Amino acid sequence: MTPAALLYAVVALPFAGAVLPALLHVRGRTLVGWVAAAAPVAGLLILWFLGSQVFDGGTWRVSVPWMDAIGLYLSFRLDGLALLFCGLIFIIGLLVILYARYYLAADDPFGRLLALLLVFMGAMVGIALSDNLLLTLVFWEATSLSSFLLIGYWSDRPDARQGARMALAVTGMGGLALLAGALLLGDMAGTFEISELVRHGDAIRAHPHYTAALVLILIGAFTKSAQFPFQFWLPNAMAAPTPVSAYLHSATMVKAGVFLLARLWPALSGTDQWFYLVTSTGLVTLVFGAYTALFRHDLKGLLAYSTIAHLGLIVLLLGMNSKMAAVAAVFHIMNHATFKASLFMAAGIIDHEAGTRDMRKIAGLWRYLPHTAVLATVAAAAMAGVPLLNGFLSKEMFFDETLALKRAGTVSWIVPAAVTLASVFSVAYSTRFIHDVFFNGEWKRAGPVPHEPPRWMRIPVEVLVALCLLVGIAPDATVGPMLAVAAGSVVGGALPDYSLAVWHGFNGAVVMSVIATVLGLVLYFGAQRVYDLHAFEGRSPWTGARLYQMVIDWLIAFTRGFTRLTADGRLQRQVALLLLVAIVAGWWSFAQGVPGRSLDRYMPLDGIALIGWLVLAICLVGAVAMHRQRLTALMLVGAVGLMVSATFAWFSAPDLALTQLTVEVATILVLLLALPFLPEATPLESSAPRRLRDAIIALACGFGLGGAAWWMMTTSGATVSAEYVVRSLPQGGGTNVVNVILVDFRGFDTYGEITVLAVAGLGITALLAGASHATRSESGDGPQFRPILFTLLARTMVPLALLLSVYLFLRGHNLPGGGFVAALVTGAALGTLYVAQGVAWSRRHVPIDFTRVMAIGMAIAAATGAGAWLFGRPFLTSAHGYVHLPLVGDLHLSTAALFDLGVYLVVVGVTMLIVTELGRLTPTARPASR
Amino acid sequence: MELLLASAIGLLAAGGTYLCLRARTFPVVLGLTLLSYAVNLFIFAAGGLRIGQPPIVGASLAMSDPLPQALVLTAIVIGFAMTAYLVVLAVRARAETGGDHVDGGA
């Protein structure tokens, strides 16, 4: 085993770790917290071990097939970008676990939160490490699902449920688009392995499907990363507990979208479509998010819109088709994760201590929470892009890039202008976050006086804020190497020259920063003074959430209406509609033209066949015309069945003829037994137009099926049967190809079919066992008239029929016969005996529990199939051989015969179960006919 | 001959469909039986028509197509179980609701 195999452990650890908190949650929070922390700690240690090679420019990769045929491999690859993301996921995950230990109220189930967080963590690590696009999608969906559960953690709150549903609907829809895009992309590149795929960038960009695939993939990434116009789910997801928001909505889940864009950057970027779609989305999102954030009164709402804006910023950078911009994007991903996670945690502390997150109700917390205030101020300053903090560095790189952008031609100035505007808002809302909460007057709320949170609850915030400072002051020494390898794996080649110094001299970016800072402060304090920011009520009818709700409402109304229209509970109407759809669909596909070459020779007509046809037609028409006289109709249907059986016999299908004949007997028997429990006659209730309509539908169906049959018989087509025929004797050991196909070549099919039979038998037993006692008699031997001739005949016939069925069974592999036919002969004979003699008599003389017969049959069939496993063969592989016995001669033995015995027993069991169960009902309890 | 079989299949399907659209359970059961005849013959016909050439190795030089026959054979048996299940369902429905209308009730 190579060290690379440890990557499997990195992905599997969080999933495995998720089980423990769920089991141990009763043992106290601290223990559960430690147990949950084990998985990310172990993951970090492994990354530490593998990381040195990544920093030297190498990668680790493992791959085993999962579904080879569709190109799905369990491929994991650790390169710089994956290392960066896994590090973020594990480190911030650890801090969030620690924070959540103190955040949750005493009656919130901590174990469940941790279990879900770890599942989510595993899914995120899977996305980061996956080197197969399809595998990425699997983990992508896993993050959607686990985040649904996390957002809806407080499932008793309607806003949590609504927010969770919305997030799932939007990201799930995006996931579908992404799936389609990924399939297109894999098709274009000829592989789903990402490290292979990105090398085919030129071929992909030149492919005619490029734009379609790009749009689909972008929809997937934009929904996940809350880009305009899909951003609305993120603010609604703020109903999640704050640790979840700090984790999902700052550092991980929403970064999955930009991660994917970065991952596929070498394959997809560089074109005009990429540039315009990605930069415009990023720019609109950036400005929209930053503007909206200023007017949110909810602390987490402000942070949510700020996150949307920062994600827009990253997307904008990735869209610029410049390597330097990609470096800046990666840098900002790191920085945003640190300051935003700490701000969410600070917001959670404020919520905890002040009892509300509404900035209109909080003021002057500085006096009560000085420590938290300092931490929050530093983090907010990083968010605003104040020098000596990490946010400043990536923002300056970002400004530089927008100034360097010449691609948009003469209107290129729009981008730096819009970005500066967004920065003005960014400074303003960052200032608001601090000023509104910690200053802005005195603490006036009633209730307990706020105080600093527990020591350990602040530590995660302190760690993150310290990181903001360290990176901001000494970027090269702290994140320089990490950024270099991470950005290196995005751009896939040599990195452009860049410097992480705090001061680059007086340049355009600095001017933009100064303008943004000054105007931002002016905007916030001006807005405070001139308007009352707290009185602002943002109620636009066109918010995304409202549009979403309209779409959902419309969908529900539409489906309800459609259901009412098509499935109103009246079966006849539904069946008629289904048939009409089938007729139209069948006609339509026939109208498209049918393949195949027409045969020019037909089989000549002969007189016997014509007579048979006439008998069938007369009986059929009679059955339909007289269907209201039930017994007559039943007899006529029986006659039709005999003609069908004759048809099989005539056209070289002896097995089918035998089966149809015996099934016919059994069917008529069962229907006869059931008739006394149904009304004698059918009332005429359909109106004449209704009957005409039904007749038209019926004739159309008949014409369609008959026409298709005609076309099929007169068109030459390839058949796969030749192989079965050739292999039948040497490999199946039988000359009756039909039987060999049933019990050997397609034995698994047959196994499924006898299972269906057994289930039907059990269903019938259950249905009749549950019938009210009025229709049930255990004796079943009422004073009934039994024709003596019938009784005698039945009793004589049974041994003969049993002998015949043994004969049919034994010869089945080579001549017409086999398990099905033999069983039906047995069943028909025994069934006749039951009818002739009554249930009680028959039970005394044939004391067999047919449910057991059925079960034994299933067991024999299953055991025969499983026996092949002992020889290392797939289920139901058959073996056969010849054994020489003295006097008897060569005896042919085959496991297929044993399987056929299972089939025989199941069919006998089911047939007899039906007959006996129906026979036990007594006709004396027959409800009066109406 | 092909036309003869095709028309028989069409007739069976038409009759079965018409009975399936009736309002009472027993005609529906009969209709389904007829429909399964039609469909079984249809699948069987896919193999083409041959006389006197059963799919037994060595019985004759040419051979009818064994695969549709194998498919139809199990379909016949399953059809029987389905018919039985339906008719028992009808009996049970009669016991519960007192009627034999397909929508339940009298």
Side-chain angles (χ1 to χ4, degrees), chain A residues 571-572 603 606 613 620 630 651-652 656 664 678-679 685-686 694 698 702 719 721 735 737 753 757 767 770, chain B residues 1-2 4 7 10-11 14 21-22 24 37 42 49-50 52-53 55 57 64-65 69 74 81 92 94 100 103:
Chain A
L571 185 69
Q572 287 169 281
M603 187 180 277
D606 64 62
W613 186 91
L620 177 76
R630 298 188 165 181
F651 293 117
S652 316
L656 293 190
E664 209 44 55
L678 295 168
E685 45 196 349
S686 305
D694 290 349
T719 166
S721 303
T735 52
V737 188
E753 274 147 357
L757 283 178
L767 270 177
Chain B
M1 194 72 104
E2 281 85 355
L4 206 63
S7 59
L11 275 177
L21 287 167
R22 297 303 93 209
R24 299 289 159 172
Y37 292 156
F42 177 80
L49 299 185
R50 279 161 191 273
Q53 297 168 344
V57 176
S64 58
D65 195 337
Q69 296 193 17
T74 49
R92 176 75 194 269
R94 175 84 197 278
D100 67 339
D103 296 336

Side-chain angles (χ1 to χ4, degrees), chain A residues 212-273:
Chain A
L214 178 66
V215 168
L216 288 167
I217 290 171
L218 288 182
I219 289 176
F222 288 168
T223 47
K224 201 78 160 181
S225 283
Q227 295 296 292
F228 187 86
F230 307 114
Q231 81 294 338
F232 56 87
W233 70 263
L234 185 57
N236 283 286
M238 290 300 124
T242 300
V244 172
S245 303
Y247 195 38
L248 268 63
H249 307 131
S250 69
T252 52
M253 159 103 163
V254 292
K255 293 284 168 62
V258 290
F259 171 82
L260 189 74
L261 293 185
R263 232 331 152 232
L264 297 176
W265 196 84
L268 295 175
S269 74
T271 61
D272 278 350
Q273 296 99 304

Side-chain angles (χ1 to χ4, degrees), chain B:
Chain B
M1 194 72 104
E2 281 85 355
L3 190 62
L4 206 63
L5 185 57
S7 59
I9 291 172
L11 275 177
L12 284 167
T17 312
Y18 182 78
L19 288 185
C20 279
L21 287 167
R22 297 303 93 209
R24 299 289 159 172
T25 48
F26 196 74
V28 172
V29 172
L30 291 186
L32 281 172
T33 310
L34 291 181
L35 261 186
S36 59
Y37 292 156
V39 173
N40 287 341
L41 280 176
F42 177 80
I43 297 173
F44 169 69
L49 299 185
R50 279 161 191 273
I51 291 178
Q53 297 168 344
I56 311 282
V57 176
S60 58
L61 271 179
M63 181 190 286
S64 58
D65 195 337
L67 190 59
Q69 296 193 17
L71 296 179
V72 170
L73 200 151
T74 49
I76 294 173
V77 182
I78 296 240
F80 162 64
M82 273 317 299
T83 308
Y85 187 83
L86 268 175
V87 82
V88 167
L89 202 61
V91 169
R92 176 75 194 269
R94 175 84 197 278
E96 298 283 324
T97 67
D100 67 339
H101 195 280
V102 285
D103 296 336

Side-chain angles (χ1 to χ4, degrees), chain A residues 623-709:
Chain A
V624 173
M626 289 187 269
H627 75 266
R628 297 195 292 113
Q629 283 96 331
R630 298 188 165 181
L631 194 59
T632 320
L634 179 57
M635 290 302 126
L636 287 170
V637 167
V640 171
L642 289 180
M643 291 322 294
V644 172
S645 165
T647 312
F648 287 135
W650 187 255
F651 293 117
S652 316
D655 278 292
L656 293 190
L658 280 171
T659 314
Q660 183 67 56
L661 194 68
T662 41
V663 158
E664 209 44 55
V665 175
T667 308
I668 300 296
L669 206 61
V670 167
L671 291 180
L672 274 176
L673 282 171
L675 259 186
F677 303 98
L678 295 168
E680 265 170 275
T682 310
L684 178 70
E685 45 196 349
S686 305
S687 59
R690 163 68 80 81
R691 274 178 286 156
L692 183 65
R693 182 202 74 175
D694 290 349
I696 292 171
I697 292 178
L699 285 176
C701 286
F703 188 77
L705 197 66

Side-chain angles (χ1 to χ4, degrees), chain A residues 386-516:
Chain A
V386 170
L388 293 183
L389 291 164
N390 60 354
F392 173 73
L393 297 170
S394 45
K395 191 192 65 178
E396 291 289 291
M397 281 168 98
F398 168 57
F399 284 168
D400 266 336
E401 282 309 300
T402 59
L403 287 170
L405 191 70
K406 293 285 177 277
R407 196 173 178 119
T410 50
V411 291
S412 291
W413 60 269
I414 285 181
V415 178
V419 160
T420 313
L421 180 68
S423 265
V424 170
F425 291 125
S426 170
V427 170
Y429 69 66
S430 302
T431 315
R432 179 175 183 197
F433 186 94
I434 299 305
H435 181 258
D436 246 0
V437 171
F438 295 107
F439 306 99
N440 202 22
E442 289 297 310
W443 175 253
K444 289 189 284 287
R445 274 169 72 84
V449 175
H451 55 83
E452 286 286 356
R455 180 87 203 90
W456 288 96
M457 194 170 174
R458 271 177 297 166
I459 283 188
V461 193
E462 285 164 356
V463 171
L464 290 168
V465 167
L467 282 174
C468 292
L469 273 165
L470 278 175
V471 173
I473 294 165
D476 255 328
T478 48
V479 292
M482 185 69 250
L483 176 61
V485 291
S489 50
V490 174
V491 301
L495 281 175
D497 280 330
Y498 63 90
S499 139
L500 285 180
V502 175
W503 180 248
H504 287 112
F506 196 77
N507 55 19
V510 173
V511 176
M512 285 165 75
S513 277
V514 171
I515 294 174

